[in-house]
Amino acid sequence: MTNKKSVKQVAAEIRNGRSVVEVVEESLATAERLNPEHFSFITIMRDQALLRAAQADARRKDGHDGAMLEGVPFAAKDMFETAGVLTTGGSPVLKDNVPDTSAVVITRLEEAGSILIGKANQHEFAYGATGENGWSGTTRNPFDTTRLAGGSSGGSAAAVAAGIVPYALGTDTGGSVRVPAALCGVVGFKPSFGRMSLKGVIPYCWSLDHAGILANNVEDVALVLDQTTATGQPALPGNLKVGIVKGWAERSDAPVRRAFLTAKSALEQMGASFTEIELPDQAEARTVSLTIQLAETLAYHGPNLARARSSFGGDMLSGMALGQFLSAESYIQCKRMLEVYNRAFSETMRTVDVLLTPSCPITAPKVGAVHVDVGGDSLPVGNALTLFTSFFNLVGTPAIALPVNDGSYLPVSAQLVGRRNRDSELLAIAQAFEETLRGTDKIAA
């Protein structure tokens, strides 16, 4: 992997006189060199990116200081529409789709000076947590290319982990930002539901989709978020109260348990007190989530299914086949369960500021893994990877995955979960947590 730089480092280099063309060319060259091995990108936007870079240099030559993210390269999951650039959703169904306009979030970042260098690879139409894709290639983990980068935003995570870009955009419906962030050793943030605009993003599940950010540190996440939405000034609460979800750490693999204890120790150094909590009844939560997902993705992709059924991959075809057997009553009952979960979760969070959990119960699985062991149970690999993330999409709360160094060669990660619409508070806690880890040399490099 190449030397990773933060958003602030790249921006500082440019302010100190480095050519934007040089910065972007370096990013593009790294993407092109690694893509045959990592499959991080579906489309690399060489011509468009270099044109924007030259325009940025010209503006600086004319005396313009530039915007906040002037010249900083980034990647976006191929669910984000981009004007004049192929947007496929990771599927041959849209292999010729070139939108006329860009997603709102893309536009805002480009207005802030950032330069999109490519459309990141993904699980087809975001339906899957592994990042496996028979059409665009399975994204490989930069730490070990025999292992998965995770999904569905795997290309975005791998591009940041490999040092191609300092940040990237993804989407998260059940963990699709946080899971690949955890497996690839980067920070992955899912804001509160609706906080980041999804206008111009191909939907998978309207009720649960969140836009999200992947970066090398929390400060960069906050900086990028601030360019896409008004978040307010972060404020670290006094007398930090942390909830520990009963049984989750104990069910995880040994490296994950060690990382969890390291994370807990860092929060203790911050003066936190801990309370063991139980989430609202989880027995039906996965069924509720999947029912809503399959009903809504079938509703969106019905016309595509009619015109191009043979172009869909197996995962999407099987999911939509299941969706066709769901009743309207089942869908409505599951939507009503979201209200039940929200009320119960709000009550749980009245006594704590944040939850600490493992991000995933396992480290990156081998490419091709079908089932994995989790606490003595054999689970489908996608279910295992999203075991500790999907519930927080049901309640629309902000959540962030952070790398923790436990000495293993594969990344491990802890998840912090905040109260809904308290994104700034969660980011402030996460940044202090990250700085504490860095002070004890327990943050992943």
Side-chain angles (χ1 to χ4, degrees), residues 42-101:
I42 294 175
T43 302
I44 297 175
M45 298 163 49
R46 169 167 282 278
D47 291 345
Q48 298 95 326
L50 286 176
L51 175 60
R52 285 185 175 273
Q55 291 169 340
D57 280 336
R59 288 194 298 271
R60 292 167 65 225
K61 188 175 180 180
D62 289 341
H64 296 284
D65 290 336
M68 178 67 69
L69 299 178
E70 188 74 27
V72 178
F74 75 107
K77 185 177 184 176
D78 210 21
M79 297 287 271
F80 289 80
E81 293 182 345
T82 40
V85 178
L86 189 67
T87 302
T88 71
S91 177
V93 172
L94 297 182
K95 62 182 175 63
D96 299 316
N97 177 48
V98 180
D100 294 327
T101 58

Short mmCIF file of all heavy atoms in Angstrom, two decimals, residues 42-101:
data_model
loop_
_atom_site.label_atom_id
_atom_site.label_comp_id
_atom_site.label_asym_id
_atom_site.label_seq_id
_atom_site.Cartn_x
_atom_site.Cartn_y
_atom_site.Cartn_z
N ILE A 42 -14.78 1.00 -10.85
CA ILE A 42 -15.46 0.61 -12.08
C ILE A 42 -15.06 1.55 -13.20
O ILE A 42 -14.78 1.13 -14.32
CB ILE A 42 -16.99 0.61 -11.88
CG1 ILE A 42 -17.38 -0.49 -10.88
CG2 ILE A 42 -17.72 0.43 -13.20
CD1 ILE A 42 -18.85 -0.49 -10.50
N THR A 43 -14.98 2.84 -12.90
CA THR A 43 -14.58 3.85 -13.87
C THR A 43 -13.54 4.77 -13.26
O THR A 43 -13.77 5.32 -12.17
CB THR A 43 -15.79 4.70 -14.33
OG1 THR A 43 -16.79 3.84 -14.89
CG2 THR A 43 -15.38 5.75 -15.35
N ILE A 44 -12.40 4.92 -13.91
CA ILE A 44 -11.38 5.89 -13.50
C ILE A 44 -11.50 7.09 -14.44
O ILE A 44 -11.41 6.94 -15.65
CB ILE A 44 -9.98 5.27 -13.53
CG1 ILE A 44 -9.89 4.13 -12.50
CG2 ILE A 44 -8.91 6.34 -13.24
CD1 ILE A 44 -8.58 3.36 -12.53
N MET A 45 -11.69 8.26 -13.88
CA MET A 45 -12.04 9.46 -14.64
C MET A 45 -10.81 10.30 -14.97
O MET A 45 -10.73 11.47 -14.61
CB MET A 45 -13.08 10.27 -13.86
CG MET A 45 -14.38 9.52 -13.61
SD MET A 45 -15.41 10.25 -12.30
CE MET A 45 -15.45 11.98 -12.78
N ARG A 46 -9.85 9.73 -15.68
CA ARG A 46 -8.58 10.43 -15.92
C ARG A 46 -8.79 11.79 -16.59
O ARG A 46 -8.31 12.82 -16.11
CB ARG A 46 -7.65 9.53 -16.75
CG ARG A 46 -6.41 10.27 -17.28
CD ARG A 46 -5.38 9.33 -17.82
NE ARG A 46 -4.62 8.72 -16.74
CZ ARG A 46 -3.59 9.28 -16.12
NH1 ARG A 46 -3.22 10.53 -16.44
NH2 ARG A 46 -2.95 8.66 -15.17
N ASP A 47 -9.45 11.82 -17.73
CA ASP A 47 -9.56 13.07 -18.50
C ASP A 47 -10.32 14.14 -17.72
O ASP A 47 -9.88 15.30 -17.64
CB ASP A 47 -10.25 12.81 -19.83
CG ASP A 47 -9.40 11.98 -20.78
OD1 ASP A 47 -8.18 11.85 -20.51
OD2 ASP A 47 -9.95 11.44 -21.75
N GLN A 48 -11.45 13.75 -17.15
CA GLN A 48 -12.27 14.73 -16.41
C GLN A 48 -11.53 15.26 -15.19
O GLN A 48 -11.56 16.46 -14.90
CB GLN A 48 -13.59 14.08 -15.98
CG GLN A 48 -14.47 13.61 -17.12
CD GLN A 48 -14.26 12.13 -17.42
OE1 GLN A 48 -13.14 11.61 -17.30
NE2 GLN A 48 -15.34 11.47 -17.81
N ALA A 49 -10.86 14.37 -14.47
CA ALA A 49 -10.16 14.78 -13.25
C ALA A 49 -8.99 15.71 -13.57
O ALA A 49 -8.78 16.72 -12.88
CB ALA A 49 -9.66 13.55 -12.50
N LEU A 50 -8.23 15.40 -14.60
CA LEU A 50 -7.08 16.25 -14.94
C LEU A 50 -7.53 17.60 -15.48
O LEU A 50 -6.86 18.62 -15.25
CB LEU A 50 -6.18 15.53 -15.95
CG LEU A 50 -5.35 14.39 -15.38
CD1 LEU A 50 -4.57 13.68 -16.48
CD2 LEU A 50 -4.39 14.89 -14.30
N LEU A 51 -8.67 17.64 -16.18
CA LEU A 51 -9.21 18.92 -16.64
C LEU A 51 -9.57 19.79 -15.45
O LEU A 51 -9.21 20.98 -15.40
CB LEU A 51 -10.44 18.69 -17.52
CG LEU A 51 -11.17 19.95 -17.98
CD1 LEU A 51 -10.26 20.85 -18.81
CD2 LEU A 51 -12.44 19.58 -18.77
N ARG A 52 -10.25 19.22 -14.46
CA ARG A 52 -10.61 20.00 -13.27
C ARG A 52 -9.36 20.44 -12.50
O ARG A 52 -9.32 21.54 -11.95
CB ARG A 52 -11.51 19.17 -12.35
CG ARG A 52 -12.94 19.05 -12.86
CD ARG A 52 -13.81 18.33 -11.84
NE ARG A 52 -15.21 18.31 -12.26
CZ ARG A 52 -16.09 19.27 -12.00
NH1 ARG A 52 -15.71 20.34 -11.33
NH2 ARG A 52 -17.34 19.18 -12.43
N ALA A 53 -8.35 19.56 -12.46
CA ALA A 53 -7.11 19.92 -11.77
C ALA A 53 -6.42 21.10 -12.46
O ALA A 53 -5.93 22.03 -11.79
CB ALA A 53 -6.18 18.70 -11.74
N ALA A 54 -6.37 21.08 -13.79
CA ALA A 54 -5.76 22.19 -14.52
C ALA A 54 -6.53 23.48 -14.29
O ALA A 54 -5.93 24.56 -14.15
CB ALA A 54 -5.72 21.85 -16.01
N GLN A 55 -7.85 23.38 -14.23
CA GLN A 55 -8.66 24.58 -13.96
C GLN A 55 -8.38 25.12 -12.56
O GLN A 55 -8.32 26.34 -12.36
CB GLN A 55 -10.14 24.23 -14.12
CG GLN A 55 -10.55 23.94 -15.55
CD GLN A 55 -11.95 23.35 -15.67
OE1 GLN A 55 -12.50 22.82 -14.69
NE2 GLN A 55 -12.55 23.44 -16.85
N ALA A 56 -8.18 24.22 -11.60
CA ALA A 56 -7.87 24.65 -10.23
C ALA A 56 -6.53 25.36 -10.19
O ALA A 56 -6.37 26.40 -9.53
CB ALA A 56 -7.87 23.45 -9.29
N ASP A 57 -5.53 24.83 -10.89
CA ASP A 57 -4.22 25.48 -10.95
C ASP A 57 -4.31 26.85 -11.61
O ASP A 57 -3.64 27.81 -11.18
CB ASP A 57 -3.22 24.59 -11.69
CG ASP A 57 -2.66 23.47 -10.83
OD1 ASP A 57 -2.67 23.62 -9.58
OD2 ASP A 57 -2.21 22.45 -11.38
N ALA A 58 -5.14 26.94 -12.65
CA ALA A 58 -5.30 28.22 -13.33
C ALA A 58 -5.93 29.26 -12.40
O ALA A 58 -5.52 30.43 -12.40
CB ALA A 58 -6.15 28.04 -14.59
N ARG A 59 -6.90 28.82 -11.62
CA ARG A 59 -7.53 29.75 -10.67
C ARG A 59 -6.51 30.24 -9.65
O ARG A 59 -6.49 31.44 -9.30
CB ARG A 59 -8.70 29.07 -9.95
CG ARG A 59 -9.92 28.85 -10.81
CD ARG A 59 -11.15 28.50 -9.96
NE ARG A 59 -10.97 27.25 -9.22
CZ ARG A 59 -11.29 26.04 -9.69
NH1 ARG A 59 -11.77 25.92 -10.93
NH2 ARG A 59 -11.12 24.97 -8.94
N ARG A 60 -5.69 29.35 -9.17
CA ARG A 60 -4.67 29.74 -8.18
C ARG A 60 -3.66 30.70 -8.81
O ARG A 60 -3.21 31.66 -8.16
CB ARG A 60 -3.97 28.49 -7.64
CG ARG A 60 -4.89 27.60 -6.79
CD ARG A 60 -4.28 26.24 -6.54
NE ARG A 60 -3.08 26.33 -5.74
CZ ARG A 60 -1.95 25.68 -6.00
NH1 ARG A 60 -1.85 24.91 -7.05
NH2 ARG A 60 -0.92 25.82 -5.21
N LYS A 61 -3.32 30.46 -10.06
CA LYS A 61 -2.37 31.34 -10.76
C LYS A 61 -2.94 32.74 -10.92
O LYS A 61 -2.21 33.74 -10.89
CB LYS A 61 -2.05 30.75 -12.14
CG LYS A 61 -0.93 31.46 -12.87
CD LYS A 61 -0.59 30.76 -14.18
CE LYS A 61 0.54 31.48 -14.89
NZ LYS A 61 0.88 30.79 -16.19
N ASP A 62 -4.28 32.81 -11.02
CA ASP A 62 -4.95 34.11 -11.15
C ASP A 62 -5.18 34.79 -9.80
O ASP A 62 -5.80 35.85 -9.72
CB ASP A 62 -6.30 33.94 -11.86
CG ASP A 62 -6.13 33.62 -13.34
OD1 ASP A 62 -5.04 33.89 -13.88
OD2 ASP A 62 -7.08 33.10 -13.94
N GLY A 63 -4.70 34.15 -8.74
CA GLY A 63 -4.77 34.77 -7.42
C GLY A 63 -5.92 34.34 -6.55
O GLY A 63 -6.12 34.88 -5.45
N HIS A 64 -6.71 33.35 -6.99
CA HIS A 64 -7.82 32.86 -6.17
C HIS A 64 -7.29 31.88 -5.12
O HIS A 64 -6.53 30.98 -5.43
CB HIS A 64 -8.88 32.18 -7.05
CG HIS A 64 -9.53 33.10 -8.03
ND1 HIS A 64 -10.49 34.03 -7.66
CD2 HIS A 64 -9.34 33.27 -9.36
CE1 HIS A 64 -10.88 34.70 -8.73
NE2 HIS A 64 -10.19 34.27 -9.78
N ASP A 65 -7.72 32.06 -3.88
CA ASP A 65 -7.24 31.21 -2.80
C ASP A 65 -7.76 29.78 -2.90
O ASP A 65 -7.12 28.84 -2.45
CB ASP A 65 -7.64 31.80 -1.44
CG ASP A 65 -6.87 33.07 -1.13
OD1 ASP A 65 -5.77 33.23 -1.69
OD2 ASP A 65 -7.38 33.87 -0.33
N GLY A 66 -8.93 29.61 -3.46
CA GLY A 66 -9.51 28.28 -3.58
C GLY A 66 -10.44 27.95 -2.42
O GLY A 66 -10.39 28.56 -1.36
N ALA A 67 -11.30 26.97 -2.63
CA ALA A 67 -12.27 26.57 -1.63
C ALA A 67 -11.63 25.64 -0.61
O ALA A 67 -10.45 25.28 -0.70
CB ALA A 67 -13.46 25.89 -2.32
N MET A 68 -12.41 25.20 0.36
CA MET A 68 -11.91 24.42 1.49
C MET A 68 -11.20 23.15 1.07
O MET A 68 -10.15 22.79 1.62
CB MET A 68 -13.09 24.08 2.42
CG MET A 68 -12.70 23.23 3.63
SD MET A 68 -11.64 24.13 4.80
CE MET A 68 -12.81 25.33 5.43
N LEU A 69 -11.75 22.43 0.08
CA LEU A 69 -11.18 21.15 -0.35
C LEU A 69 -10.47 21.29 -1.70
O LEU A 69 -10.32 20.30 -2.43
CB LEU A 69 -12.29 20.10 -0.44
CG LEU A 69 -13.03 19.78 0.86
CD1 LEU A 69 -14.13 18.75 0.61
CD2 LEU A 69 -12.07 19.26 1.93
N GLU A 70 -10.01 22.46 -2.01
CA GLU A 70 -9.42 22.73 -3.32
C GLU A 70 -8.35 21.70 -3.70
O GLU A 70 -7.34 21.55 -3.02
CB GLU A 70 -8.81 24.13 -3.34
CG GLU A 70 -8.34 24.59 -4.72
CD GLU A 70 -9.49 24.96 -5.65
OE1 GLU A 70 -10.56 25.35 -5.14
OE2 GLU A 70 -9.33 24.85 -6.87
N GLY A 71 -8.62 20.95 -4.78
CA GLY A 71 -7.64 20.02 -5.34
C GLY A 71 -7.57 18.66 -4.67
O GLY A 71 -6.80 17.80 -5.11
N VAL A 72 -8.35 18.42 -3.63
CA VAL A 72 -8.27 17.15 -2.91
C VAL A 72 -9.02 16.08 -3.69
O VAL A 72 -10.22 16.19 -3.94
CB VAL A 72 -8.87 17.27 -1.49
CG1 VAL A 72 -8.84 15.93 -0.78
CG2 VAL A 72 -8.11 18.33 -0.70
N PRO A 73 -8.35 14.98 -4.08
CA PRO A 73 -9.02 13.92 -4.85
C PRO A 73 -9.95 13.10 -3.96
O PRO A 73 -9.71 12.92 -2.77
CB PRO A 73 -7.86 13.04 -5.35
CG PRO A 73 -6.60 13.78 -5.02
CD PRO A 73 -6.92 14.71 -3.89
N PHE A 74 -11.03 12.59 -4.55
CA PHE A 74 -11.90 11.67 -3.83
C PHE A 74 -12.52 10.68 -4.80
O PHE A 74 -12.45 10.84 -6.02
CB PHE A 74 -12.97 12.42 -3.03
CG PHE A 74 -14.13 13.01 -3.83
CD1 PHE A 74 -15.39 12.43 -3.78
CD2 PHE A 74 -13.96 14.15 -4.60
CE1 PHE A 74 -16.46 12.97 -4.48
CE2 PHE A 74 -15.02 14.70 -5.30
CZ PHE A 74 -16.28 14.10 -5.24
N ALA A 75 -13.11 9.63 -4.24
CA ALA A 75 -13.82 8.61 -5.02
C ALA A 75 -15.25 8.55 -4.53
O ALA A 75 -15.55 8.92 -3.39
CB ALA A 75 -13.15 7.25 -4.88
N ALA A 76 -16.15 8.06 -5.37
CA ALA A 76 -17.56 7.92 -4.99
C ALA A 76 -18.07 6.57 -5.47
O ALA A 76 -17.82 6.17 -6.61
CB ALA A 76 -18.40 9.04 -5.59
N LYS A 77 -18.75 5.88 -4.59
CA LYS A 77 -19.41 4.62 -4.94
C LYS A 77 -20.26 4.84 -6.19
O LYS A 77 -20.85 5.90 -6.38
CB LYS A 77 -20.28 4.19 -3.76
CG LYS A 77 -20.95 2.85 -3.87
CD LYS A 77 -21.71 2.57 -2.58
CE LYS A 77 -22.35 1.20 -2.55
NZ LYS A 77 -23.00 0.93 -1.24
N ASP A 78 -20.35 3.82 -7.03
CA ASP A 78 -21.01 4.00 -8.32
C ASP A 78 -22.53 4.04 -8.22
O ASP A 78 -23.22 3.92 -9.22
CB ASP A 78 -20.58 2.91 -9.30
CG ASP A 78 -20.60 3.39 -10.74
OD1 ASP A 78 -20.54 4.61 -10.96
OD2 ASP A 78 -20.68 2.53 -11.65
N MET A 79 -23.06 4.25 -7.00
CA MET A 79 -24.49 4.55 -6.82
C MET A 79 -24.74 6.05 -6.96
O MET A 79 -25.89 6.46 -7.15
CB MET A 79 -24.96 4.09 -5.44
CG MET A 79 -24.87 2.60 -5.20
SD MET A 79 -26.10 1.62 -6.09
CE MET A 79 -27.46 1.62 -4.91
N PHE A 80 -23.70 6.88 -6.84
CA PHE A 80 -23.83 8.33 -6.92
C PHE A 80 -23.79 8.76 -8.39
O PHE A 80 -22.80 8.51 -9.09
CB PHE A 80 -22.70 9.02 -6.15
CG PHE A 80 -22.80 8.89 -4.66
CD1 PHE A 80 -22.38 7.74 -4.01
CD2 PHE A 80 -23.33 9.92 -3.89
CE1 PHE A 80 -22.47 7.61 -2.64
CE2 PHE A 80 -23.42 9.80 -2.51
CZ PHE A 80 -23.00 8.64 -1.89
N GLU A 81 -24.84 9.40 -8.84
CA GLU A 81 -24.89 9.84 -10.24
C GLU A 81 -23.87 10.95 -10.48
O GLU A 81 -23.65 11.81 -9.62
CB GLU A 81 -26.29 10.31 -10.60
CG GLU A 81 -27.31 9.18 -10.60
CD GLU A 81 -28.70 9.63 -11.00
OE1 GLU A 81 -28.96 10.85 -11.01
OE2 GLU A 81 -29.53 8.75 -11.29
N THR A 82 -23.27 10.90 -11.68
CA THR A 82 -22.25 11.88 -12.05
C THR A 82 -22.51 12.36 -13.47
O THR A 82 -22.61 11.55 -14.40
CB THR A 82 -20.85 11.26 -11.97
OG1 THR A 82 -20.89 9.91 -12.47
CG2 THR A 82 -20.35 11.23 -10.54
N ALA A 83 -22.65 13.67 -13.63
CA ALA A 83 -22.98 14.24 -14.93
C ALA A 83 -21.92 13.89 -15.97
O ALA A 83 -20.73 14.16 -15.77
CB ALA A 83 -23.11 15.75 -14.81
N GLY A 84 -22.34 13.28 -17.07
CA GLY A 84 -21.44 12.96 -18.17
C GLY A 84 -20.51 11.80 -17.91
O GLY A 84 -19.63 11.52 -18.73
N VAL A 85 -20.70 11.09 -16.80
CA VAL A 85 -19.81 9.97 -16.45
C VAL A 85 -20.67 8.74 -16.14
O VAL A 85 -21.68 8.83 -15.44
CB VAL A 85 -18.94 10.31 -15.21
CG1 VAL A 85 -18.07 9.12 -14.82
CG2 VAL A 85 -18.07 11.53 -15.50
N LEU A 86 -20.24 7.62 -16.66
CA LEU A 86 -20.95 6.36 -16.47
C LEU A 86 -21.28 6.12 -15.00
O LEU A 86 -20.42 6.26 -14.13
CB LEU A 86 -20.07 5.22 -17.00
CG LEU A 86 -20.69 3.82 -17.10
CD1 LEU A 86 -21.80 3.82 -18.16
CD2 LEU A 86 -19.62 2.80 -17.44
N THR A 87 -22.53 5.76 -14.73
CA THR A 87 -22.99 5.44 -13.38
C THR A 87 -23.78 4.14 -13.46
O THR A 87 -24.91 4.13 -13.95
CB THR A 87 -23.87 6.56 -12.81
OG1 THR A 87 -23.13 7.80 -12.80
CG2 THR A 87 -24.31 6.24 -11.39
N THR A 88 -23.19 3.04 -12.96
CA THR A 88 -23.74 1.71 -13.22
C THR A 88 -24.43 1.05 -12.03
O THR A 88 -25.14 0.07 -12.21
CB THR A 88 -22.63 0.76 -13.69
OG1 THR A 88 -21.77 0.46 -12.58
CG2 THR A 88 -21.82 1.35 -14.82
N GLY A 89 -24.19 1.53 -10.81
CA GLY A 89 -24.67 0.80 -9.65
C GLY A 89 -24.02 -0.57 -9.52
O GLY A 89 -24.54 -1.45 -8.83
N GLY A 90 -22.89 -0.76 -10.19
CA GLY A 90 -22.20 -2.04 -10.14
C GLY A 90 -22.91 -3.13 -10.92
O GLY A 90 -22.77 -4.31 -10.60
N SER A 91 -23.66 -2.76 -11.94
CA SER A 91 -24.48 -3.73 -12.66
C SER A 91 -24.46 -3.49 -14.17
O SER A 91 -24.54 -2.34 -14.62
CB SER A 91 -25.93 -3.67 -12.18
OG SER A 91 -26.75 -4.55 -12.91
N PRO A 92 -24.40 -4.58 -14.97
CA PRO A 92 -24.52 -4.42 -16.42
C PRO A 92 -25.88 -3.92 -16.85
O PRO A 92 -26.05 -3.48 -17.99
CB PRO A 92 -24.24 -5.83 -16.95
CG PRO A 92 -24.52 -6.75 -15.82
CD PRO A 92 -24.18 -5.98 -14.58
N VAL A 93 -26.85 -3.97 -15.94
CA VAL A 93 -28.18 -3.43 -16.24
C VAL A 93 -28.08 -1.95 -16.64
O VAL A 93 -28.82 -1.46 -17.49
CB VAL A 93 -29.12 -3.60 -15.02
CG1 VAL A 93 -30.43 -2.86 -15.23
CG2 VAL A 93 -29.37 -5.08 -14.75
N LEU A 94 -27.11 -1.24 -16.01
CA LEU A 94 -26.92 0.19 -16.30
C LEU A 94 -25.57 0.45 -16.97
O LEU A 94 -24.97 1.51 -16.77
CB LEU A 94 -27.04 1.01 -15.01
CG LEU A 94 -28.40 0.98 -14.30
CD1 LEU A 94 -28.36 1.88 -13.06
CD2 LEU A 94 -29.52 1.41 -15.23
N LYS A 95 -25.11 -0.49 -17.76
CA LYS A 95 -23.76 -0.37 -18.33
C LYS A 95 -23.62 0.79 -19.32
O LYS A 95 -22.49 1.21 -19.63
CB LYS A 95 -23.36 -1.67 -19.03
CG LYS A 95 -24.22 -2.09 -20.19
CD LYS A 95 -23.76 -3.43 -20.76
CE LYS A 95 -24.68 -3.92 -21.85
NZ LYS A 95 -24.71 -3.01 -23.04
N ASP A 96 -24.74 1.34 -19.77
CA ASP A 96 -24.69 2.49 -20.69
C ASP A 96 -25.29 3.75 -20.08
O ASP A 96 -25.56 4.72 -20.79
CB ASP A 96 -25.44 2.16 -21.99
CG ASP A 96 -24.84 0.97 -22.72
OD1 ASP A 96 -23.60 0.91 -22.82
OD2 ASP A 96 -25.60 0.10 -23.18
N ASN A 97 -25.47 3.76 -18.76
CA ASN A 97 -26.16 4.87 -18.10
C ASN A 97 -25.22 6.04 -17.83
O ASN A 97 -24.30 5.94 -17.01
CB ASN A 97 -26.76 4.38 -16.77
CG ASN A 97 -27.44 5.50 -15.99
OD1 ASN A 97 -28.23 6.26 -16.55
ND2 ASN A 97 -27.11 5.59 -14.71
N VAL A 98 -25.42 7.14 -18.51
CA VAL A 98 -24.63 8.36 -18.31
C VAL A 98 -25.59 9.48 -17.94
O VAL A 98 -26.26 10.05 -18.80
CB VAL A 98 -23.82 8.73 -19.57
CG1 VAL A 98 -23.01 10.01 -19.32
CG2 VAL A 98 -22.89 7.59 -19.98
N PRO A 99 -25.68 9.84 -16.66
CA PRO A 99 -26.64 10.87 -16.22
C PRO A 99 -26.29 12.26 -16.74
O PRO A 99 -25.14 12.55 -17.08
CB PRO A 99 -26.51 10.82 -14.69
CG PRO A 99 -25.87 9.51 -14.38
CD PRO A 99 -24.96 9.22 -15.53
N ASP A 100 -27.30 13.11 -16.75
CA ASP A 100 -27.11 14.51 -17.16
C ASP A 100 -26.70 15.39 -15.98
O ASP A 100 -26.13 16.46 -16.18
CB ASP A 100 -28.41 15.06 -17.76
CG ASP A 100 -28.77 14.38 -19.07
OD1 ASP A 100 -27.85 14.01 -19.82
OD2 ASP A 100 -29.98 14.22 -19.33
N THR A 101 -27.03 14.94 -14.77
CA THR A 101 -26.71 15.72 -13.57
C THR A 101 -26.03 14.85 -12.54
O THR A 101 -26.09 13.61 -12.61
CB THR A 101 -27.99 16.32 -12.95
OG1 THR A 101 -28.90 15.25 -12.64
CG2 THR A 101 -28.67 17.30 -13.91
#
